[in-house]
Amino acid sequence: MVNRRPPSRFGIHSLSVKLSVLISAVCLIAGIFAAALMLKSEERQLIHEEYAQLKRYSNQTVKQFNQFLEHKSNLAEQANAIVAKELWYQANNISAAQPADIQYRDGVFQSTASNGLSAAQFAASELSDKYQQIFRQSEALWNVIAPSLLQDFFNFYINTQSGFVRVAPPNVLINNDSRQALFNSHFLPMLREELNPTREALWSDVHFDPIWNKWVISILVPLYYEDEYVGFTGSDIEVKQMLSQLLLSDEHQGYVIFNDEGEIIAAPSTGEVTIQSLNTNQSVAEVFPELSKVFRPVLEAKLTEFQGEFERGGQAHIINVTTLKKLGWYLGVYKKRDSSLSSIEALKVKFFGLFILYAAFVALLLHQVLYQLVLSRINALVGAVSGFGKGQWKTPNLPVSNDEIGLLNDTVNKMSSEIKALVSGLNQRIVEKEKAEKQANRLSKAVSFSGTAVAITNGNFEIDYVNPKMIEMTGFDEAHFVARPLLDIISTDMAILIDDIDIDLRSRNYWRGDTILAGSGKAPIWVSLSISPIREADGTISSYVASAQDISFVKESQRKMEELAYFDTLTGLANRTFFRMQLRKSMALAGRGHYAFALFYFDLDEFKRINDTLGHDAGDRLLVEVAERLKNRLRAEDTIARLGGDEFAVLLSGIDSRDNAMEVAHTIQRTINKPIKLGNNEVIVSASIGITMAPFDSQEEEQLLKHADLAMYEAKAKGRNTFHFYSQELDAAANERLYIENELRIAIKEQQFKLHYQPQVNSESLEVIGYEALIRWNHPEQGFIPPDKFIHIAEATGLIVELGEWVLEEACTFSMQLQAVGKAGSMSINLSARQFKDDRLISTLADVLKRTKMPPHLLHLELTESMLMGDVEAAIAQLHEIKKLGVALSIDDFGTGYSSLSYLKRFPVDMLKVDRSFVKDIPDDQNDMEITAAIIAMAQKLQLQVVAEGVETREQVDFLQKNNCYVVQGYFYSPPIAQSDVEAFCDTLKFRV
């Protein structure tokens, strides 16, 4: 019988160990492969999310930066509009004495404001009255607008083509001898209208300011006056301050800014290129050779957005490029690729470490489960209980199972959790109490020493506390506030606002806005007030806190800027801008069918004469007095505006009938007609008023203004000091005037004019002694157009100068033809006021006489009295210049104008022409006979020739002969005749009479 040994237990144990190790290895390999795939997918997703985050970050930064640039541009353009209106308008309309503090040194006139806020210079050898006024007016204007602007810019200046510069602060002009080169070195060409037709604000390139030792960028706004470029206004911003708006705060992120030429603007995040070491000639390739392959497609294709990768310093980076269009810059925000994958890398390390530990643990567990399972659990339990006894609370939880040891572990875990919670709660309360005490102490000091006024109330809006700043601002002591209602801190001048605040506080529990604080002083205290609730942990409101920031200075600056923008600085009336705003509102109300108003448009008659004779200061005082009278006489709801010069406009609300408008027109005339004392002189002025009714005459703003203007000119044509309502006939007359003006230009080019000649006859010898040349217009479509239809239009448009030169040439040429056949060649030609004042009159006369070879003494130029009585001294000087050519002078229509014998004797004239208005009623009107005889006698005493116009009857000829006036002109002998009929008339004159 063979004895057989039982299976060895050791062999079975070894097999289980091997199997456990094999299974552990297979699980480990499979887990590692699955984890690798998962980590790779996670890595791609993280990179995609990082690109998206960089893009969102860049877009948000660019949007906020563009808002910053738009805000700065708007401020610069508003300041430019004020400077263009106030500085250039005042400099061209108000004379002023030279400021006492202007100094001349090294070819430059300099001035520093008395308050040190600004300085000015003017590079010239002489300082005209205009630029003396600009020095003074710009100083006053800078004192108003500079304080507000310097809160947003570190300087503000104006630079004109003529060399005038004013800047605030004044350091540029005070500290730098090469200041003029600095102002002219950058920007003038880019501001011209041909390069900037929209006249908008422009951003300059980045440049270094040696005065402030800063890299800056400038906002430049072209300055125009009467549509003519005169210079620019500028404001500088430190580039470092601008870059602070980018809000790139992530320590793992960097950025680079470059322009469309590939030049670096700034790259402070790298630690290599900062704005302080900036060299604008450095390119991206020079500073960042690794980035050149990223930026090259951006610059070549002008891309607006780009994403890519590059390597720098042995590390991979990802980058997102976005455009800053307004400045022509590109913003590239980048970060290390490893920083995006740092979590993945850490996860890889932990993952593989855990798998190694897991494998080792599984192998060890499978190998020693029979030996160590119970013992390790008991050891852990003993260790935990021992640790708790020593105060070690951060022990891990013991494993729980259904066996006896597991149930014991569960009991120990629950006990340890309760002990941990108790100790942790005690520690947390101690820490929170200490932190709350420190925070309360810090907040208390912050409120007490705050530069903002603070008041704290209870839940019933009764004040419990005010800080020292509130006491300082209001001038009241602390007892004045305690236990009083919170809204008592607001001035009673804001009573309406107080009710709104109370409603908001009770409905929404908070309020924020601008208001006036109640104070013991006279000056209002404007504050930005914020009232917010203080809530307890359960959400209930226990008190309120009110904080007030003093903005009185800002409000005062805004008020002054609004006055400059909407009101006339001389009279205090509304200006053209404000008037147009009110007119639009009135038109909108009228368009709804329930509102009517009248528009008055007028200017002062003979204001220019008063201004020229008494001076501009007297003219200004006259305008101020007229404005005061209008404000005192018209209603408060009516809008009174000075549109410029002596032009005024009035919007009368609630006027729906012409009778009401007529009453107001009479009131205005009576108010203005009262004598006005100007120094030692007393003047009486009148107004010509144009009236239009809305919405009856028009429902369009521009059309209504045009109607009022037409009505005013019709009032002037009726003799001034009157008023006229708009009618459709005025539109027709205006259209006819425009038609004639256009056709007149064509007629001059196409030579549609002919000259007729009216003979001047010696009634005693019946000989023709000369002719008066009279122009005639034969229109190809309209036929004959009388001179009274087009002469005044030619005078108003200046075409009379060109037309008069043609008449002069034609008449002199015809005179030479008459002289060649033995006829009288004396030629009289009417000279208009526009021709008489033309600077080229003397040269034109000399050229015509030379070309036609006309004897100068045979040419008679006829002038009216009104032409000579404006600027008498200038007229006398012009007459003497004409006389030097040998030309004879006549005064036409004598006796109908502003006759003055004291001036007449000084005029170098040769002849008087008695106006037809005195001759036509002879012999029926005894007064006309006496006046005519007196004019003839006076002319003979002054040794002047006399010619009577408008002679039509034998009785008139006999009367003139009895009074020794033999040269006559009129239909009795001949009407104006064509050039071809002149010779025949001379031959048959004795037979016709």
Side-chain angles (χ1 to χ4, degrees):
M1 186 172 179
V2 179
N3 294 326
R4 306 181 65 179
R5 298 177 62 186
S8 172
R9 292 182 60 191
F10 180 79
I12 295 174
H13 177 70
S14 298
L15 180 60
S16 66
V17 171
K18 293 178 181 179
L19 289 175
S20 64
V21 171
L22 180 62
I23 294 171
S24 299
V26 172
C27 293
L28 178 62
I29 294 172
I32 292 174
F33 182 76
L37 292 178
M38 180 183 68
L39 290 173
K40 190 67 176 177
S41 174
E42 185 68 18
E43 179 179 337
R44 286 195 299 268
Q45 179 62 25
L46 280 176
I47 291 296
H48 177 74
E49 290 178 358
E50 286 298 323
Y51 271 127
Q53 183 179 0
L54 278 181
K55 180 177 180 181
R56 288 194 301 272
Y57 195 87
S58 299
N59 291 340
Q60 180 181 359
T61 301
V62 169
K63 179 178 179 182
Q64 183 167 351
F65 192 69
N66 284 336
Q67 291 175 352
F68 171 80
L69 298 179
E70 188 68 23
H71 171 67
K72 298 297 183 182
S73 296
N74 290 340
L75 286 177
E77 289 176 346
Q78 290 173 10
N80 178 274
I82 293 175
V83 171
K85 174 185 178 296
E86 291 303 318
L87 179 56
W88 236 250
Y89 174 80
Q90 297 294 344
N92 285 275
N93 290 274
I94 301 177
S95 62
Q98 179 176 354
D101 58 349
I102 295 180
Q103 300 177 353
Y104 184 75
R105 184 175 62 190
D106 299 331
V108 176
F109 289 92
Q110 304 176 31
S111 172
T112 302
S114 59
N115 58 6
L117 183 60
S118 66
Q121 71 173 33
F122 179 53
S125 58
E126 295 182 359
L127 188 62
S128 64
D129 292 343
K130 175 181 176 180
Y131 277 94
Q132 292 176 17
Q133 171 63 17
I134 289 178
F135 265 91
R136 187 188 72 172
Q137 187 66 26
S138 65
E139 177 179 337
L141 184 57
W142 254 243
N143 287 341
V144 174
I145 65 177
S148 294
L149 291 175
L150 293 183
Q151 295 182 21
D152 290 273
F153 310 100
F154 74 80
N155 63 15
F156 176 67
Y157 50 87
I158 181 174
N159 185 13
T160 70
Q161 291 191 108
S162 57
F164 176 79
V165 174
R166 179 166 288 278
V167 61
N171 304 55
V172 174
L173 299 185
I174 293 175
N175 300 329
N176 188 8
D177 292 333
S178 59
R179 50 192 171 272
Q180 191 63 36
L182 179 63
F183 278 104
N184 292 334
S185 60
H186 295 291
F187 316 119
L188 288 179
M190 63 190 286
L191 293 168
R192 298 292 186 179
E193 186 165 13
E194 55 266 28
L195 297 180
N196 185 17
T198 59
R199 304 177 182 177
E200 63 183 354
L202 298 175
W203 290 85
S204 73
D205 294 330
V206 174
H207 56 279
F208 187 75
D209 189 334
I211 304 303
W212 295 97
N213 197 27
K214 296 177 180 179
W215 287 96
V216 299
I217 187 169
S218 303
I219 309 176
L220 304 174
V221 187
L223 186 63
Y224 285 80
Y225 176 71
E226 294 185 347
D227 211 33
E228 180 180 355
Y229 176 81
V230 297
F232 67 87
T233 59
S235 304
D236 294 344
I237 304 175
E238 185 179 0
V239 175
K240 183 176 181 181
Q241 178 191 357
M242 291 182 64
L243 296 181
S244 68
Q245 301 297 317
L246 293 174
L247 297 178
L248 296 169
S249 58
D250 191 339
E251 63 180 5
H252 298 296
Q253 294 183 165
Y255 73 93
V256 58
I257 299 177
F258 60 100
N259 60 23
D260 54 8
E261 298 297 328
E263 296 174 344
I264 290 292
I265 301 299
S269 302
T270 65
E272 298 180 8
V273 180
T274 65
I275 196 63
Q276 288 80 6
S277 63
L278 183 65
N279 180 356
T280 53
N281 292 324
Q282 289 180 297
S283 66
V284 175
E286 294 172 345
V287 180
F288 296 109
E290 302 89 351
L291 284 176
S292 60
K293 67 177 183 179
V294 176
F295 294 158
R296 189 179 301 115
V298 176
L299 297 174
E300 291 177 354
K302 303 295 182 182
L303 300 177
T304 59
E305 194 168 49
F306 181 81
Q307 291 181 340
E309 296 186 8
F310 67 94
E311 287 191 4
R312 181 174 176 83
Q315 290 184 323
H317 293 72
I318 60 175
I319 187 169
N320 183 83
V321 181
T322 311
T323 58
L324 297 171
K325 295 183 180 178
K326 187 176 288 294
L327 301 178
W329 294 355
Y330 291 88
L331 170 64
V333 182
Y334 60 89
K335 66 185 300 183
K336 293 180 181 178
R337 193 174 187 272
D338 292 344
S339 67
S340 304
L341 302 178
S342 59
S343 60
I344 293 293
E345 297 298 328
L347 186 60
K348 285 181 179 179
V349 173
K350 292 180 181 179
F351 182 84
F352 287 109
L354 287 174
F355 265 95
I356 292 173
L357 292 175
Y358 173 76
F361 176 74
V362 169
L364 184 62
L365 179 63
L366 291 176
H367 180 69
Q368 297 184 349
V369 63
L370 298 177
Y371 303 98
Q372 299 294 331
L373 179 60
V374 175
L375 183 60
S376 63
R377 291 169 69 191
I378 294 175
N379 287 336
L381 178 60
V382 171
V385 173
S386 177
F388 272 95
K390 297 178 181 180
Q392 298 174 356
W393 313 115
K394 296 183 179 180
T395 56
N397 288 334
L398 297 172
V400 178
S401 62
N402 292 326
D403 58 10
E404 290 78 2
I405 297 176
L407 294 175
L408 181 59
N409 286 347
D410 183 48
T411 303
V412 173
N413 285 339
K414 291 179 180 179
M415 179 184 67
S416 65
S417 297
E418 292 175 357
I419 296 174
K420 287 179 183 178
L422 179 60
V423 174
S424 177
L426 291 174
N427 291 335
Q428 182 67 25
R429 289 184 182 181
I430 293 172
V431 171
E432 288 178 353
K433 182 179 180 181
E434 292 176 351
K435 186 183 296 184
E437 289 177 351
K438 291 180 180 179
Q439 185 175 6
N441 186 41
R442 186 165 55 248
L443 290 175
S444 177
K445 290 181 178 179
V447 172
S448 297
F449 296 105
S450 172
T452 300
V454 176
I456 301 176
T457 75
N458 57 25
N460 296 322
F461 297 102
E462 294 173 344
I463 298 175
D464 290 335
Y465 167 82
V466 292
N467 72 341
K469 186 63 178 178
M470 178 70 77
I471 296 172
E472 176 190 339
M473 286 176 57
T474 60
F476 297 124
D477 55 19
E478 185 176 2
H480 172 80
F481 295 99
V482 175
R484 297 188 63 178
L486 173 62
L487 297 185
D488 281 1
I489 67 173
I490 300 176
S491 173
T492 54
D493 294 337
M494 308 295 286
I496 297 177
L497 186 61
I498 291 175
D499 294 336
D500 293 339
I501 296 174
D502 185 63
I503 293 173
D504 282 355
L505 288 176
R506 299 187 183 281
S507 60
R508 297 188 297 173
N509 297 322
Y510 72 89
W511 186 86
R512 178 175 298 171
D514 295 346
T515 185
I516 299 176
L517 210 61
S520 60
K522 295 182 179 179
I525 308 169
W526 274 99
V527 295
S528 177
L529 181 64
S530 174
I531 303 175
S532 305
I534 300 176
R535 298 181 183 273
E536 298 300 329
D538 59 357
T540 59
I541 298 175
S542 61
S543 56
Y544 288 84
V545 59
S547 59
Q549 184 72 37
D550 191 347
I551 59 171
S552 299
F553 178 78
V554 176
K555 286 292 184 179
E556 181 63 17
S557 297
Q558 290 176 351
R559 184 189 66 79
K560 290 181 179 179
M561 292 182 72
E562 287 178 358
E563 285 183 357
L564 292 175
Y566 295 115
F567 293 92
D568 179 47
T569 56
L570 176 64
T571 62
L573 298 178
N575 62 9
R576 185 182 295 273
T577 302
F578 187 79
F579 170 75
R580 293 297 291 265
M581 291 170 54
Q582 294 300 107
L583 179 59
R584 289 190 202 101
K585 292 179 182 178
S586 298
M587 293 298 294
L589 291 174
R592 299 171 187 171
H594 303 290
Y595 184 78
F597 66 94
L599 170 60
F600 283 32
Y601 196 92
F602 62 92
D603 62 15
L604 303 181
D605 301 330
E606 299 299 328
F607 174 75
K608 184 178 184 303
R609 179 173 58 83
I610 295 173
N611 217 20
D612 293 341
T613 55
L614 299 182
H616 291 285
D617 287 342
D620 289 345
R621 291 198 300 272
L622 174 62
L623 293 174
V624 171
E625 177 61 26
V626 170
E628 288 299 321
R629 291 184 179 185
L630 291 174
K631 286 190 287 187
N632 293 334
R633 195 66 184 86
L634 296 178
R635 300 173 301 178
E637 61 266 27
D638 298 329
T639 300
I640 311 169
R642 180 189 175 213
L643 305 183
D646 63 326
E647 294 181 359
F648 294 86
V650 178
L651 281 177
L652 296 170
S653 58
I655 302 294
D656 56 1
S657 69
R658 288 197 172 195
D659 292 338
N660 293 338
M662 287 174 61
E663 291 178 6
V664 178
H666 285 304
T667 299
I668 292 176
Q669 288 180 326
R670 287 193 301 269
T671 301
I672 295 177
N673 285 346
K674 294 178 181 179
I676 298 175
K677 191 73 173 179
L678 299 177
N680 296 327
N681 301 287
E682 187 174 79
V683 299
I684 297 178
V685 295
S686 60
S688 299
I689 305 174
I691 307 173
T692 184
M693 307 293 292
F696 314 110
D697 291 338
S698 176
Q699 294 184 352
E700 296 181 5
E701 177 185 342
E702 295 298 332
Q703 198 71 14
L704 201 65
L705 288 171
K706 174 188 173 184
H707 291 169
D709 193 45
L710 289 174
M712 183 189 72
Y713 279 102
E714 185 65 19
K716 284 186 175 294
K718 290 168 61 177
R720 305 176 184 250
N721 193 23
T722 186
F723 58 86
H724 192 84
F725 283 91
Y726 165 78
S727 63
Q728 292 185 351
E729 288 76 10
L730 294 181
D731 257 346
N735 292 333
E736 182 184 17
R737 173 189 171 89
L738 181 61
Y739 171 77
I740 291 177
E741 180 181 338
N742 294 332
E743 292 299 311
L744 193 58
R745 299 179 190 275
I746 298 173
I748 293 175
K749 293 180 181 179
E750 296 181 355
Q751 296 184 351
Q752 298 175 5
F753 297 100
K754 300 293 182 183
L755 289 184
H756 281 204
Y757 300 90
Q758 187 168 33
Q760 296 174 341
V761 179
N762 187 318
S763 62
E764 189 175 33
S765 63
L766 294 181
E767 294 180 357
V768 177
I769 65 169
Y771 306 88
E772 180 178 359
L774 302 170
I775 193 168
R776 296 292 183 266
W777 182 10
N778 288 313
H779 191 275
E781 297 177 359
Q782 302 293 331
F784 174 71
I785 298 179
D788 59 358
K789 286 281 189 181
F790 68 86
I791 289 296
H792 67 284
I793 297 177
E795 176 85 11
T797 58
L799 294 173
I800 194 68
V801 175
E802 183 179 356
L803 191 59
E805 185 175 350
W806 176 84
V807 170
L808 192 64
E809 181 102 22
E810 287 290 311
C812 290
T813 301
F814 180 58
S815 172
M816 295 303 296
Q817 294 176 6
L818 291 175
Q819 295 176 53
V821 296
K823 305 295 183 181
S826 179
M827 193 65 63
S828 296
I829 300 174
N830 290 298
L831 201 64
S832 72
R834 191 70 171 267
Q835 288 175 277
F836 184 67
K837 296 176 181 178
D838 185 34
D839 294 337
R840 299 183 295 107
L841 175 62
I842 304 301
S843 61
T844 299
L845 287 172
D847 291 344
V848 171
L849 291 173
K850 182 178 180 180
R851 285 196 302 270
T852 61
K853 300 180 181 180
M854 172 80 168
H857 70 278
L858 295 180
L859 177 61
H860 289 259
L861 296 181
E862 298 184 2
L863 306 99
T864 63
E865 293 174 85
S866 58
M867 289 167 51
L868 304 175
M869 295 307 296
D871 188 345
V872 176
E873 298 302 326
I876 292 174
Q878 183 79 324
L879 291 175
H880 281 290
E881 290 295 321
I882 297 174
K883 288 296 293 183
K884 288 180 182 179
L885 299 175
V887 176
L889 296 172
S890 304
I891 294 182
D892 194 15
D893 301 335
F894 185 79
T896 62
Y898 301 96
S899 303
S900 174
L901 298 181
S902 63
Y903 289 130
L904 181 61
K905 68 180 182 180
R906 297 176 59 192
F907 295 151
V909 297
D910 305 285
M911 180 185 298
L912 295 182
K913 297 189 74 173
V914 181
D915 188 66
R916 66 182 71 249
S917 62
F918 299 124
V919 176
K920 68 177 183 177
D921 290 330
I922 296 176
D924 299 327
D925 192 319
Q926 186 65 32
N927 290 331
D928 285 347
M929 294 172 66
E930 296 294 339
I931 292 172
T932 302
I935 293 174
I936 295 171
M938 179 187 66
Q940 291 173 347
K941 291 294 182 180
L942 295 175
Q943 297 182 351
L944 300 176
Q945 299 179 33
V946 183
V947 176
E949 295 182 303
V951 178
E952 298 181 356
T953 66
R954 167 55 65 182
E955 290 81 1
Q956 294 169 352
V957 173
D958 292 341
F959 172 80
L960 294 170
Q961 287 180 344
K962 289 178 183 179
N963 287 274
N964 297 320
C965 177
Y966 298 102
V967 180
V968 298
Q969 176 182 337
Y971 276 67
F972 179 74
Y973 289 107
S974 173
I977 56 178
Q979 177 177 325
S980 58
D981 298 330
V982 169
E983 292 187 28
F985 170 80
C986 295
D987 294 335
T988 60
L989 174 61
K990 293 184 180 180
F991 300 102
R992 292 186 180 188
V993 178

